[in-house]
Every structure is written in structure tokens, then in C-alpha cells.
Amino acid sequence: MKPMGPIPPAFAGRQVLTIAGHDAEYWIARAGDTPLFVYDLALIAARVAEVRAALPDRIDLHYAIKANPLPALLAAISPLVDGLDVASGGELAKALEVKDAAAISFAGPGKRDDELEAAIVAGATLNLESEGEGRRALAIGHRLGIAPRVAVRVNPDFELRGSGMRMGGRASPFGVDADRAAILVRDLIANGADWHGFHIYTGSQALDAEAIAEMQAATLALADRLSDEAGAVPPLVNLGGGFGIPYFPGDTPVDLPAVGTALGEALTSTRLASGPTRFAIELGRYLVGEAGVYLTRVVDVKQSQGETFVVVDGGLHHQLAASGNFGTVVRRNYPVANAAKLGADPTGTVSVVGSLCTPLDRLADRVSFPDTAVGDVVAIFLAGAYGATASPSAFLGHPAARELLIMPQT
Ligand SMILES: *Cc1c(COP(=O)(O)O)cnc(C)c1O
């Protein structure tokens, strides 16, 4: 038997899984069928409110939309946050449907000229990933007669300790090395760009408040230093994000009040904080990840060489991350349950496998489970971020998953 991660508190501790007051079958009937992603907007709104309450007023909150770009979800979260961060021309177009261009920033390496142009024409901020991208943005702005609004993404000379995905302190396709960032800023300003500040993103999926606080303090110090070197005051310093959520056995939630307090203290020793500069953090999974549940129906239960396999109609083509094939080194179990028997005592050990014809498609590996039969619904938690759009949905030709955003009164 192998352990699984903790069921998020919003769903744990009940006999039967309920989402926004209704059981899984209710939402499946509403959506039409399984496999189905259900996202509870009330939980997302509550999380946004929690973050705002914990962080200093001085800090704007942005949503990194690649975590979950479902249009209905974007429309709902947009008024709750100060900005949207996008990472492709496609995401930019979606964000522009629901937010002012002035509140949208566009990061990511390999932006094509047509993507740069779309951002420049709209007036969104380009977070430049390289000097070359800066030159292309200037040339496009010159041709169009528009001063491109640009910020410089910095590849910091430190990294986020304990983060699941490190983005700093080493050679990187992301951002301009810290020792060259100020030169680029001077160059951009001299060439007529509308320079909007710095974007400093050090990593993702960090759970340790102390590590996050350390990173934020180092980021603020770096912003001070770079502004001095550039001889210019940044309108905005985006401090990145990186707040993680507990996916796996032993993971514990971020101590948000501790992060907020430390950030408040770090701001007091930041020179830029006494000027007009605004500060922002950008969060993806932390805002939406725990609010989503992936529901998939049992198609077969089979025995093989003494092991039990619960075969479901979904799989890694919708929820790649739960199969352990999305950025994890060692495969560990997401929290998974039989939706109608959430509180039932386990009666055995099963592996939950998806319907794809590959051994990679294992959604839970040898977990304790109650009696489970064909027709039951299995719930896979933490499906609100990096699910439907971060999975190889075309692989093996099964239909896409349905997605349902539960709004108050849905
Ligand atoms: C992906 C990404 C995020 C969001 O990361 P999470 O771990 O989901 O919070 C934020 N900023 C940038 C630049 C990103 O690329």
C-alpha cells in the first residue's frame, strides 16, 4: 500500500463527496457525462480573499492564467484580481476578452513577431525574456508608431529554495541575467520604449513560508539594486509567486499569514517602496488548484496477479499531473477517493488506472480504497490547475473532458 496526498479541507471529512453542496452524480448529470472537471468558484473567491487579507495592501494580485484558462473561469476571476499574466498569443486573446490590456502582462520565451505585435497594439505589457526580444519589440513598435510597453524579466542570481520548479540561479531560457538587466533597461528607455518595470520569477510550488519570504526579500533587494543600476524607477515590480498547494503525502499548506507578515517587513527595508512603484505577485495553482475535482467513472474492475485495478473512463489525457508525468521526478499519489464512499473504511488496495493503452496511465498507485464497483465515480482532487489544458488530450483519440464552473446559483 502506498500513501496518497491530503484531500483538500473543503472536501475532506464527509461520508460522501459534496461539491458546493451537491454530490458528484448531481454535477455529472448537470454537465452531461464523465469524465468531468468541476471547479467551485466560491472556493476560488475565498482563496483570493484569503490572499488579499494576508498580503500587504501595497501588493497587487495577478492570476497566471495558464493554471486554468477556462473562459468562464477567467471571466469570473478577472474582477477579483488586479492583473492577468499570460504566456502566449492565445492566452493574450483570452485575457483581453475579460481584462483591460493595461492590466495584462505577457511573459514566456519564443514570442513570435505576430504575438509581440498583438500585445503592442493592445497595450499589454511584454515581459521581455531576452535582449533579442527587446530589439524585436522596439522594431515592431517603431514600424507601428507605438511605444511598446515592456518590462524586463530578470533571471535572478538566486533561486527559490524548496520549490518544485526552480527558475533562477542558473542558466535559463527565462529572463535576462541579472547582471545584464539594467543595461537592457537603459537601452529600452533610450530607444523610446514605455518601460514598465521588472518581472522576477524564481520558482513554483513552494510550500515553506520561510523559503518564500527569503525569496521575496531577495527579490525586493534585487529590484532596488537593478533600479539603481538602470538609473530609473520601475512603475511595477512583479515579485513572481510560487505559492504551492499540498499534493502529496507529507505536504502541508503554505503559512499565508507568515508570508504576508514577512513581505510587509521586507517592504519596509525596500527603497523603492517609499516611491511610486507598485508591487505585484502572480499566482496560478494557489488560487485555483484546490477548487477543482476531476470526476471519472469506473468502467472495469479487474484482478491481475493478486492486484486489483480500478479502470476509469478518464486518464492522463485529461489529468496528466495525477499520473506523475508532469514535472515530478518520483511518482507519488494525488489524493483520490470513491466519491460516494469518501468516509468509508478501506477494504483493500487498488490501483486506479485510466483508459489509455499505456502503462503510464496510472492515476493512483496501490492505494487503500473502499469496495468499488463498475459504475462508481472516482474523484481525483487538486484538479483545478494544470489539468485539462496541461494534458495531452489528443493522445489516443478519446473525447475531451467536460468542464463545469460552479457559480453561486449554478
Ligand atoms: C506558470 C507561471 C506562473 C504560475 O505558476 P504557479 O505555480 O501555478 O503559481 C506564474 N508566473 C509565471 C511567469 C509562470 O510562468
Side-chain angles (χ1 to χ4, degrees):
M1 196 268 286
K2 294 190 173 176
M4 54 184 161
I7 294 177
F11 305 111
R14 301 209 195 89
Q15 281 308 305
V16 173
L17 172 66
T18 58
I19 306 168
H22 295 282
D23 69 8
E25 294 291 358
Y26 174 88
W27 295 116
I28 293 166
R30 290 290 294 260
D33 206 351
T34 53
L36 168 67
F37 286 93
V38 180
Y39 314 117
D40 184 352
L41 179 60
L43 295 178
I44 296 171
R47 178 54 64 90
V48 169
E50 249 180 88
V51 173
R52 288 212 185 266
L55 294 183
D57 290 341
R58 188 69 188 271
I59 304 288
D60 285 353
L61 177 62
H62 293 188
Y63 173 53
I65 84 169
K66 78 171 183 290
N68 190 329
L70 184 74
L73 189 149
L74 283 187
I77 201 171
S78 173
L80 308 179
V81 296
D82 304 300
L84 297 178
D85 294 322
V86 305
S88 73
E91 286 193 350
L92 174 65
K94 283 186 173 180
L96 285 168
E97 301 265 320
V98 297
K99 201 85 176 162
D100 274 352
I104 298 172
S105 56
F106 182 179
K111 298 183 197 76
R112 293 157 41 109
D113 283 353
D114 57 349
E115 294 177 296
L116 295 175
E117 180 166 335
I120 291 167
V121 168
T125 302
L126 285 166
N127 288 335
L128 298 175
E129 304 281 354
S130 73
E131 284 98 341
E133 198 171 82
R135 282 191 294 274
R136 288 194 291 130
L138 284 169
I140 291 166
H142 188 72
R143 172 165 59 75
L144 298 171
I146 305 171
R149 185 193 263 226
V150 294
V152 171
R153 179 165 178 181
V154 181
N155 174 31
D157 39 18
F158 53 86
E159 65 185 14
L160 174 51
R161 207 161 41 79
S163 102
M165 209 178 281
R166 281 175 291 202
M167 308 272 241
R170 57 186 70 196
S172 172
F174 308 107
V176 176
D177 289 350
D179 59 0
R180 296 209 316 266
I183 301 166
L184 176 58
V185 170
R186 285 175 184 273
D187 199 53
L188 290 165
I189 294 171
N191 283 287
D194 175 12
W195 177 59
H196 205 59
F198 293 112
H199 176 216
I200 307 174
Y201 181 79
T202 47
S204 194
Q205 182 51 22
L207 296 170
D208 178 9
E210 222 175 284
I212 294 172
E214 240 174 58
M215 175 276 290
Q216 289 178 332
T219 301
L220 288 167
L222 177 60
D224 265 349
R225 194 183 92 211
L226 293 179
S227 306
D228 278 353
E229 287 175 22
V233 175
L236 177 70
V237 174
N238 181 331
L239 305 170
F243 301 9
I245 55 177
Y247 289 103
F248 301 119
D251 283 357
T252 51
V254 174
D255 183 347
L256 196 57
V259 170
T261 303
L263 183 52
E265 283 163 14
L267 277 171
T268 61
S269 53
T270 302
R271 266 173 296 124
L272 286 173
S274 56
T277 298
R278 290 187 305 114
F279 297 87
I281 62 163
E282 53 179 6
L283 299 176
R285 74 187 76 212
Y286 193 73
L287 300 184
V288 297
E290 287 167 280
V293 183
Y294 178 59
L295 300 172
T296 175
R297 201 176 289 282
V298 178
V299 176
D300 195 10
V301 178
K302 63 171 276 188
Q303 312 290 327
S304 172
Q305 303 208 359
E307 289 194 28
T308 302
F309 292 87
V310 170
V311 187
V312 296
D313 64 359
L316 70 73
H317 54 310
H318 302 148
Q319 187 47 353
L320 181 67
S323 77
N325 293 292
F326 188 67
T328 46
V329 180
V330 179
R331 195 206 174 288
R332 289 170 294 172
N333 286 316
Y334 268 46
V336 171
N338 182 320
K341 297 182 173 178
L342 194 67
D345 288 331
T347 53
T349 299
V350 309
S351 290
V352 178
V353 297
S355 48
L356 299 197
C357 201
T358 159
L360 295 179
D361 197 4
R362 188 173 286 238
L363 299 171
D365 185 34
R366 285 167 279 172
V367 292
S368 281
F369 230 58
D371 278 338
T372 295
V374 170
D376 287 359
V377 171
V378 170
I380 299 171
F381 297 94
L382 304 167
Y386 305 112
T389 60
S391 303
S393 58
F395 187 35
L396 274 154
H398 292 283
R402 291 161 199 255
E403 294 182 271
L404 180 69
L405 178 71
I406 306 175
M407 317 265 278
Q409 273 102 40
T410 299

